[in-house]
PDB file of all heavy atoms in Angstrom:
ATOM      1  N   GLY A 123      93.795 -20.664 -47.253  1.00 97.00           N
ATOM      2  CA  GLY A 123      92.954 -21.713 -46.688  1.00 97.00           C
ATOM      3  C   GLY A 123      92.439 -22.739 -47.668  1.00 97.00           C
ATOM      4  O   GLY A 123      93.191 -23.426 -48.341  1.00 97.00           O
ATOM      5  N   TRP A 124      91.120 -22.766 -47.799  1.00 98.00           N
ATOM      6  CA  TRP A 124      90.412 -23.839 -48.492  1.00 98.00           C
ATOM      7  C   TRP A 124      90.750 -23.904 -49.980  1.00 98.00           C
ATOM      8  O   TRP A 124      90.889 -24.960 -50.573  1.00 98.00           O
ATOM      9  CB  TRP A 124      88.914 -23.646 -48.244  1.00 98.00           C
ATOM     10  CG  TRP A 124      88.010 -24.622 -48.914  1.00 98.00           C
ATOM     11  CD1 TRP A 124      87.003 -24.319 -49.777  1.00 98.00           C
ATOM     12  CD2 TRP A 124      88.008 -26.037 -48.763  1.00 98.00           C
ATOM     13  NE1 TRP A 124      86.373 -25.460 -50.174  1.00 98.00           N
ATOM     14  CE2 TRP A 124      86.968 -26.546 -49.568  1.00 98.00           C
ATOM     15  CE3 TRP A 124      88.775 -26.949 -48.038  1.00 98.00           C
ATOM     16  CZ2 TRP A 124      86.674 -27.897 -49.678  1.00 98.00           C
ATOM     17  CZ3 TRP A 124      88.499 -28.307 -48.143  1.00 98.00           C
ATOM     18  CH2 TRP A 124      87.457 -28.759 -48.959  1.00 98.00           C
ATOM     19  N   GLY A 125      90.816 -22.744 -50.605  1.00 98.00           N
ATOM     20  CA  GLY A 125      91.303 -22.707 -51.980  1.00 98.00           C
ATOM     21  C   GLY A 125      90.299 -23.073 -53.058  1.00 98.00           C
ATOM     22  O   GLY A 125      90.692 -23.509 -54.141  1.00 98.00           O
ATOM     23  N   SER A 126      89.003 -22.837 -52.796  1.00 98.00           N
ATOM     24  CA  SER A 126      88.040 -23.161 -53.860  1.00 98.00           C
ATOM     25  C   SER A 126      88.176 -22.186 -55.038  1.00 98.00           C
ATOM     26  O   SER A 126      87.953 -22.562 -56.192  1.00 98.00           O
ATOM     27  CB  SER A 126      86.606 -23.178 -53.325  1.00 98.00           C
ATOM     28  OG  SER A 126      86.165 -21.883 -53.021  1.00 98.00           O
ATOM     29  N   ASN A 127      88.549 -20.941 -54.760  1.00 98.00           N
ATOM     30  CA  ASN A 127      88.787 -20.006 -55.868  1.00 98.00           C
ATOM     31  C   ASN A 127      90.012 -20.417 -56.672  1.00 98.00           C
ATOM     32  O   ASN A 127      90.014 -20.315 -57.898  1.00 98.00           O
ATOM     33  CB  ASN A 127      88.949 -18.575 -55.334  1.00 98.00           C
ATOM     34  CG  ASN A 127      87.617 -17.885 -55.150  1.00 98.00           C
ATOM     35  OD1 ASN A 127      86.947 -17.558 -56.128  1.00 98.00           O
ATOM     36  ND2 ASN A 127      87.206 -17.694 -53.908  1.00 98.00           N
ATOM     37  N   LEU A 128      91.039 -20.882 -55.973  1.00 98.00           N
ATOM     38  CA  LEU A 128      92.221 -21.406 -56.678  1.00 98.00           C
ATOM     39  C   LEU A 128      91.800 -22.561 -57.582  1.00 98.00           C
ATOM     40  O   LEU A 128      92.199 -22.637 -58.752  1.00 98.00           O
ATOM     41  CB  LEU A 128      93.268 -21.888 -55.665  1.00 98.00           C
ATOM     42  CG  LEU A 128      94.407 -22.724 -56.254  1.00 98.00           C
ATOM     43  CD1 LEU A 128      95.312 -21.862 -57.121  1.00 98.00           C
ATOM     44  CD2 LEU A 128      95.207 -23.418 -55.144  1.00 98.00           C
ATOM     45  N   ALA A 200      93.548 -15.034 -53.599  1.00 98.00           N
ATOM     46  CA  ALA A 200      92.339 -15.866 -53.604  1.00 98.00           C
ATOM     47  C   ALA A 200      92.119 -16.411 -52.198  1.00 98.00           C
ATOM     48  O   ALA A 200      92.531 -17.522 -51.866  1.00 98.00           O
ATOM     49  CB  ALA A 200      92.495 -17.009 -54.609  1.00 98.00           C
ATOM     50  N   GLY A 201      91.501 -15.564 -51.356  1.00 98.00           N
ATOM     51  CA  GLY A 201      91.332 -15.966 -49.962  1.00 98.00           C
ATOM     52  C   GLY A 201      92.631 -15.830 -49.188  1.00 98.00           C
ATOM     53  O   GLY A 201      92.890 -16.589 -48.267  1.00 98.00           O
ATOM     54  N   PHE A 202      93.436 -14.848 -49.548  1.00 97.00           N
ATOM     55  CA  PHE A 202      94.704 -14.578 -48.851  1.00 97.00           C
ATOM     56  C   PHE A 202      94.395 -13.557 -47.769  1.00 97.00           C
ATOM     57  O   PHE A 202      94.048 -12.414 -48.065  1.00 97.00           O
ATOM     58  CB  PHE A 202      95.730 -14.033 -49.845  1.00 97.00           C
ATOM     59  CG  PHE A 202      97.113 -13.860 -49.283  1.00 97.00           C
ATOM     60  CD1 PHE A 202      97.835 -14.946 -48.799  1.00 97.00           C
ATOM     61  CD2 PHE A 202      97.723 -12.606 -49.264  1.00 97.00           C
ATOM     62  CE1 PHE A 202      99.129 -14.785 -48.302  1.00 97.00           C
ATOM     63  CE2 PHE A 202      99.018 -12.443 -48.779  1.00 97.00           C
ATOM     64  CZ  PHE A 202      99.712 -13.537 -48.291  1.00 97.00           C
ATOM     65  N   MET A 203      94.487 -13.970 -46.521  1.00 95.00           N
ATOM     66  CA  MET A 203      93.942 -13.161 -45.432  1.00 95.00           C
ATOM     67  C   MET A 203      95.005 -12.284 -44.756  1.00 95.00           C
ATOM     68  O   MET A 203      95.132 -12.279 -43.543  1.00 95.00           O
ATOM     69  CB  MET A 203      93.251 -14.084 -44.414  1.00 95.00           C
ATOM     70  CG  MET A 203      92.045 -14.781 -44.987  1.00 95.00           C
ATOM     71  SD  MET A 203      90.904 -13.599 -45.758  1.00 95.00           S
ATOM     72  CE  MET A 203      89.435 -14.588 -45.918  1.00 95.00           C
ATOM     73  N   ASN A 220      92.385  -8.901 -55.923  1.00 98.00           N
ATOM     74  CA  ASN A 220      91.832  -9.603 -54.765  1.00 98.00           C
ATOM     75  C   ASN A 220      90.364  -9.914 -55.038  1.00 98.00           C
ATOM     76  O   ASN A 220      89.686  -9.153 -55.720  1.00 98.00           O
ATOM     77  CB  ASN A 220      91.922  -8.700 -53.526  1.00 98.00           C
ATOM     78  CG  ASN A 220      91.321  -9.343 -52.284  1.00 98.00           C
ATOM     79  OD1 ASN A 220      91.610 -10.508 -51.966  1.00 98.00           O
ATOM     80  ND2 ASN A 220      90.496  -8.603 -51.563  1.00 98.00           N
ATOM     81  N   ILE A 221      89.903 -11.038 -54.494  1.00 98.00           N
ATOM     82  CA  ILE A 221      88.463 -11.318 -54.553  1.00 98.00           C
ATOM     83  C   ILE A 221      87.891 -11.213 -53.154  1.00 98.00           C
ATOM     84  O   ILE A 221      88.526 -11.614 -52.180  1.00 98.00           O
ATOM     85  CB  ILE A 221      88.155 -12.689 -55.193  1.00 98.00           C
ATOM     86  CG1 ILE A 221      86.644 -12.852 -55.355  1.00 98.00           C
ATOM     87  CG2 ILE A 221      88.738 -13.854 -54.392  1.00 98.00           C
ATOM     88  CD1 ILE A 221      86.232 -13.565 -56.599  1.00 98.00           C
ATOM     89  N   HIS A 222      86.683 -10.634 -53.098  1.00 98.00           N
ATOM     90  CA  HIS A 222      86.061 -10.391 -51.791  1.00 98.00           C
ATOM     91  C   HIS A 222      84.557 -10.686 -51.896  1.00 98.00           C
ATOM     92  O   HIS A 222      83.918 -10.303 -52.879  1.00 98.00           O
ATOM     93  CB  HIS A 222      86.291  -8.938 -51.375  1.00 98.00           C
ATOM     94  CG  HIS A 222      85.724  -8.625 -50.032  1.00 98.00           C
ATOM     95  ND1 HIS A 222      86.337  -9.016 -48.859  1.00 98.00           N
ATOM     96  CD2 HIS A 222      84.582  -8.006 -49.664  1.00 98.00           C
ATOM     97  CE1 HIS A 222      85.595  -8.636 -47.833  1.00 98.00           C
ATOM     98  NE2 HIS A 222      84.526  -8.020 -48.303  1.00 98.00           N
ATOM     99  N   PRO A 223      83.996 -11.354 -50.863  1.00 98.00           N
ATOM    100  CA  PRO A 223      82.595 -11.779 -50.966  1.00 98.00           C
ATOM    101  C   PRO A 223      81.561 -10.740 -50.570  1.00 98.00           C
ATOM    102  O   PRO A 223      80.658 -11.020 -49.777  1.00 98.00           O
ATOM    103  CB  PRO A 223      82.548 -13.004 -50.037  1.00 98.00           C
ATOM    104  CG  PRO A 223      83.579 -12.738 -49.014  1.00 98.00           C
ATOM    105  CD  PRO A 223      84.647 -11.892 -49.670  1.00 98.00           C
ATOM    106  N   GLY A 231      86.316  -6.525 -44.914  1.00 96.00           N
ATOM    107  CA  GLY A 231      86.700  -7.243 -43.689  1.00 96.00           C
ATOM    108  C   GLY A 231      86.153  -8.649 -43.622  1.00 96.00           C
ATOM    109  O   GLY A 231      85.967  -9.308 -44.644  1.00 96.00           O
ATOM    110  N   ASP A 258      90.564  -4.514 -48.414  1.00 94.00           N
ATOM    111  CA  ASP A 258      89.483  -4.714 -49.381  1.00 94.00           C
ATOM    112  C   ASP A 258      89.104  -3.408 -50.086  1.00 94.00           C
ATOM    113  O   ASP A 258      87.923  -3.123 -50.312  1.00 94.00           O
ATOM    114  CB  ASP A 258      88.250  -5.343 -48.703  1.00 94.00           C
ATOM    115  CG  ASP A 258      88.581  -6.698 -48.071  1.00 94.00           C
ATOM    116  OD1 ASP A 258      89.323  -7.469 -48.702  1.00 94.00           O
ATOM    117  OD2 ASP A 258      88.111  -6.972 -46.952  1.00 94.00           O
ATOM    118  N   LEU A 284      79.913 -17.546 -53.228  1.00 98.00           N
ATOM    119  CA  LEU A 284      81.154 -18.239 -53.606  1.00 98.00           C
ATOM    120  C   LEU A 284      81.056 -18.810 -55.018  1.00 98.00           C
ATOM    121  O   LEU A 284      82.022 -18.774 -55.794  1.00 98.00           O
ATOM    122  CB  LEU A 284      81.448 -19.356 -52.595  1.00 98.00           C
ATOM    123  CG  LEU A 284      82.832 -20.000 -52.654  1.00 98.00           C
ATOM    124  CD1 LEU A 284      83.941 -18.971 -52.430  1.00 98.00           C
ATOM    125  CD2 LEU A 284      82.955 -21.117 -51.615  1.00 98.00           C
ATOM    126  N   GLU A 287      81.900 -16.153 -57.256  1.00 98.00           N
ATOM    127  CA  GLU A 287      83.338 -15.839 -57.180  1.00 98.00           C
ATOM    128  C   GLU A 287      84.111 -16.711 -58.161  1.00 98.00           C
ATOM    129  O   GLU A 287      85.049 -16.261 -58.815  1.00 98.00           O
ATOM    130  CB  GLU A 287      83.876 -16.087 -55.757  1.00 98.00           C
ATOM    131  CG  GLU A 287      83.324 -15.152 -54.709  1.00 98.00           C
ATOM    132  CD  GLU A 287      83.966 -15.377 -53.345  1.00 98.00           C
ATOM    133  OE1 GLU A 287      85.189 -15.596 -53.271  1.00 98.00           O
ATOM    134  OE2 GLU A 287      83.230 -15.341 -52.334  1.00 98.00           O
ATOM    135  N   HIS A 288      83.682 -17.975 -58.225  1.00 98.00           N
ATOM    136  CA  HIS A 288      84.415 -18.929 -59.068  1.00 98.00           C
ATOM    137  C   HIS A 288      84.337 -18.558 -60.545  1.00 98.00           C
ATOM    138  O   HIS A 288      85.182 -18.960 -61.328  1.00 98.00           O
ATOM    139  CB  HIS A 288      83.880 -20.348 -58.822  1.00 98.00           C
ATOM    140  CG  HIS A 288      84.112 -20.814 -57.415  1.00 98.00           C
ATOM    141  ND1 HIS A 288      83.442 -21.863 -56.853  1.00 98.00           N
ATOM    142  CD2 HIS A 288      84.947 -20.335 -56.450  1.00 98.00           C
ATOM    143  CE1 HIS A 288      83.856 -22.024 -55.605  1.00 98.00           C
ATOM    144  NE2 HIS A 288      84.767 -21.115 -55.343  1.00 98.00           N
TER     145      HIS A 288
HETATM  146  C1  LIG B1741      86.415 -16.291 -50.475  1.00 79.30           C
HETATM  147  O1  LIG B1741      85.054 -16.144 -50.175  1.00 79.30           O
HETATM  148  C2  LIG B1741      87.064 -14.946 -50.696  1.00 79.30           C
HETATM  149  O2  LIG B1741      86.227 -14.030 -51.344  1.00 79.30           O
HETATM  150  C3  LIG B1741      87.349 -14.521 -49.274  1.00 79.30           C
HETATM  151  O3  LIG B1741      87.832 -15.683 -48.661  1.00 79.30           O
HETATM  152  C4  LIG B1741      87.186 -16.816 -49.246  1.00 79.30           C
HETATM  153  C5  LIG B1741      88.240 -17.823 -49.639  1.00 79.30           C
HETATM  154  O4  LIG B1741      87.649 -19.009 -50.102  1.00 79.30           O
HETATM  155  N1  LIG B1741      88.291 -13.437 -49.214  1.00 79.30           N
HETATM  156  C6  LIG B1741      88.171 -12.394 -48.391  1.00 79.30           C
HETATM  157  O5  LIG B1741      87.306 -12.314 -47.544  1.00 79.30           O
HETATM  158  C7  LIG B1741      89.226 -11.315 -48.565  1.00 79.30           C
HETATM  159  N2  LIG B1741      88.899 -10.189 -47.767  1.00 79.30           N
HETATM  160  P1  LIG B1741      88.505 -20.107 -50.868  1.00 79.30           P
HETATM  161  O6  LIG B1741      89.756 -20.356 -50.015  1.00 79.30           O
HETATM  162  O7  LIG B1741      87.615 -21.307 -50.918  1.00 79.30           O
HETATM  163  O8  LIG B1741      88.849 -19.569 -52.223  1.00 79.30           O
END
Side-chain angles (χ1 to χ4, degrees):
W124 178 237
S126 71
N127 275 290
L128 167 69
F202 186 61
M203 295 308 195
N220 178 48
I221 186 143
H222 182 77
D258 301 319
L284 192 59
E287 293 184 41
H288 296 162

